[in-house]
Amino acid sequence: MRFYLDHAATTPLRPEAREAWLAASDVVGNASSTHGAGQDARRLLEDSRERIAEVLGSDPIEVVLTSGGTESINTALRGLWTSRAADADTVVLPDGEHHATMDTVAALASDGAAVRAVALSGTGRIEPEIFRAALPGAALATALVANNEVGTVNDAPALSAAAAHSGVPLHLDAVAALGHVPLSFRELRGDAAAGAGLVAMSVAGHKIGAPVGVGALVVARTAKMVPLLHGGAQQRGLRAGTQDVPGAAAFAAALSAAEDEREAEAARLRALRDRLISGIRSAVPLARLLGDPVDRLPGNAHFLFPGAVGESLLFLLDVAGVAASTGSACQAGVAEPSHVVMAMGGSEQDARSVLRFTLGRTSTDADVDAVLTAIADAYARASGSRTAQRS
Ligand SMILES: Cc1ncc(COP(=O)(O)O)c(C=O)c1O
């Protein structure tokens, strides 16, 4: 048996998304063509965009479809920075962001951007007051709605209000939060002046049961953003290229279904997760839950296992059929210490001794039981293997 507890890395395809993708894949036509076939594709595309916009609390025209979170984030950050006022070149970057954000900002820094860091709290939270203090005079700011590693949910309304107050355009990375916490672009934006406050928000379909390869960047009509891709005039000229109609249809279907179930599913996952947390604490008394104990994603349990190497635990659990993660999947191939755990004040050793379990739509009690059956032995062996390596 295989037990999948890595829903933060990617999620199983939802049946609604598969059906919508298959039905749309039979529609032949480029949505930009003016003939009847093209118009059929166009109708399906725009209907999907409307459904996506409805869930995200935006106008359909604000939804720019992309290939996923990484493209959305690159488009937003480089696009906003390139269109900045001549005298503003600073990017406000909280510690512990996803690598898609960190590495894009690093690339902007090599093009001349100044970077102003914002320290995280010990629970992985971006404190609104510290964020606010970093904003004056900045060209743009970015922040996670929820941290994808430790699961801490930030006060996005407060971060957005701070940016609006300082007249700074804000991008939110909502990839990990999508489907788990309420997200309304309109409400988060409030009555911010044109070009200030929340102007862009990134999401990805594969985190909520849509296929990999589709996502969105919500871009306020008033945002000043230079496109990353050049070519056709599709999507307000912000994302050139023939649009992926089946991808959009699948994303819309998955998102609507996830939103319909969000509250009930969050309660179910919280109960499962809390059983997982208390079970791990009983099986491994030294294990410490990281992240915010209350404001955290409903399916996230992130633990520090002192003295064990996370990669060894991961391997031993995998042998027992349990799929977990040491951090963001994008980094898991490379045995790096978690930059999030270090930003929260952990040592490099701590940052190598963490494991993330994330639950989702298909998770059941059997998944929790599988972890609880295997974890004590895996911990004993992983902490022993570390001692053995040292001697
Ligand atoms: C918070 C966050 N941002 C961005 C990304 C990148 O998204 P994608 O994998 O769709 O490119 C991820 C993926 O793990 C994520 O968790």
Side-chain angles (χ1 to χ4, degrees):
M1 282 284 276
R2 292 200 152 266
F3 303 93
Y4 187 72
L5 291 96
D6 199 12
H7 287 253
T10 199
T11 54
L13 192 64
R14 290 189 80 112
E16 301 89 339
R18 181 187 289 112
E19 278 162 31
W21 193 94
L22 285 172
S25 67
D26 280 334
V27 178
V28 179
N30 184 320
S32 297
S33 299
T34 49
H35 47 61
Q39 291 312 299
D40 287 348
R42 178 99 199 171
R43 261 190 299 280
L44 188 49
L45 176 69
E46 294 312 326
D47 174 61
S48 304
R49 196 188 308 276
E50 269 174 37
R51 293 171 66 198
I52 294 166
E54 195 181 324
V55 175
L56 299 178
S58 72
D59 294 341
I61 194 156
E62 294 174 317
V63 173
V64 176
L65 294 163
T66 66
S67 64
T70 300
E71 183 192 329
S72 295
I73 292 167
N74 274 261
T75 303
L77 299 182
R78 183 164 284 281
L80 290 169
W81 188 75
T82 309
S83 67
R84 74 202 187 280
D87 55 348
D89 64 1
T90 300
V91 182
V92 173
L93 174 72
D95 290 340
E97 293 290 303
H98 189 273
H99 269 276
T101 295
M102 287 165 49
D103 295 0
T104 303
V105 174
L108 295 179
S110 63
D111 291 343
V115 180
R116 209 176 280 159
V118 177
L120 286 190
S121 78
T123 61
R125 172 185 297 282
I126 304 169
E127 298 292 359
E129 283 315 306
I130 301 179
F131 187 72
R132 177 188 283 260
L135 291 170
L140 73 118
T142 187
L144 280 164
V145 176
N147 188 288
N148 52 294
E149 287 194 30
V150 297
T152 298
V153 178
N154 287 309
D155 186 349
L159 302 180
S160 178
H165 180 262
S166 303
V168 173
L170 171 69
H171 164 257
L172 285 178
D173 173 355
V175 172
L178 186 67
H180 299 293
V181 301
L183 274 180
S184 165
F185 187 74
R186 201 171 289 123
E187 280 175 29
L188 283 169
R189 184 157 162 68
D191 57 1
L198 177 63
V199 294
M201 183 170 84
S202 293
V203 292
H206 70 106
K207 306 290 184 179
I208 50 115
V212 176
V214 61
L217 178 64
V218 184
V219 185
R221 292 163 191 269
T222 51
K224 284 198 191 131
M225 193 179 283
V226 172
L228 193 63
L229 302 181
H230 301 278
Q234 295 95 340
Q235 310 204 76
R236 295 157 61 194
L238 285 172
R239 206 275 190 168
T242 299
Q243 296 181 77
D244 172 10
V245 180
F251 188 21
L255 197 54
S256 303
E259 181 61 16
D260 288 347
E261 295 167 6
R262 185 171 50 76
E263 282 185 24
E265 193 54 9
R268 187 184 77 87
L269 291 183
R270 237 176 249 123
L272 272 183
R273 178 203 66 191
D274 289 348
R275 191 164 80 80
L276 178 64
I277 289 174
S278 58
I280 289 177
R281 281 176 166 152
S282 307
V284 183
L286 286 176
R288 227 177 74 214
L289 182 74
L290 299 188
D292 196 287
V294 179
D295 291 330
R296 73 184 302 133
L297 292 171
N300 176 296
H302 186 279
F303 274 94
L304 169 64
F305 290 96
V309 177
E311 289 289 324
S312 309
L313 272 176
L314 188 73
F315 172 77
L316 291 162
L317 288 177
D318 192 33
V319 170
V322 171
S325 171
T326 53
S328 104
C330 323
Q331 296 305 108
V334 188
E336 280 181 4
S338 160
H339 68 285
V340 176
V341 173
M342 288 198 282
M344 289 161 58
S347 65
E348 190 176 326
Q349 188 178 323
D350 290 344
R352 290 186 189 279
S353 305
V354 290
L355 212 56
R356 177 188 73 181
F357 302 95
T358 47
L359 306 168
R361 183 181 60 87
T362 53
S363 301
T364 65
D365 276 312
D367 297 305
V368 173
D369 292 339
V371 176
L372 300 184
T373 303
I375 192 71
D377 182 54
Y379 179 64
R381 293 170 69 182
S383 39
S385 68
R386 195 174 154 276
T387 316
Q389 274 168 17
R390 277 188 158 180
S391 57

